[in-house]
Amino acid sequence: MKKSMFVFLITTAAVVIAAPGAWATAWLVSGKTPSLLVIGVGVVEGLIAGVVSGPRFWDDRNAIRQRAAQVDDS
């Protein structure tokens, strides 16, 4: 899997989690249905979280794979 595809998948997952989470939180706090602006903020938060964390997950994944290969060679 390429790094860009991995980052895209992490970003998509973050958006899928952040948007409903932002909506539900605003609904619970205010007691009424939140506006589309709240959902937009959740989507932006998810995009930022995915773009920031995706490459870090990729690098960690590669480091773990290299360590496992070193242990197998020993």
Side-chain angles (χ1 to χ4, degrees):
M1 180 183 299
K2 292 185 177 185
K3 184 175 184 176
S4 59
M5 182 60 155
F6 187 79
V7 171
F8 174 76
L9 291 174
I10 294 295
T11 302
T12 302
V15 169
V16 167
I17 293 168
W23 184 88
T25 301
W27 178 66
L28 288 171
V29 169
S30 69
K32 57 184 177 179
T33 303
S35 67
L36 289 176
L37 178 64
V38 172
I39 295 171
V41 169
V43 168
V44 170
E45 287 175 351
L47 288 172
I48 292 170
V51 168
V52 168
S53 63
R56 293 187 67 199
F57 289 151
W58 180 264
D59 293 340
D60 290 346
R61 182 175 163 249
N62 286 337
I64 291 169
R65 184 181 296 164
Q66 288 174 355
R67 288 183 197 146
Q70 289 173 352
V71 169
D72 288 342
D73 290 341
S74 299

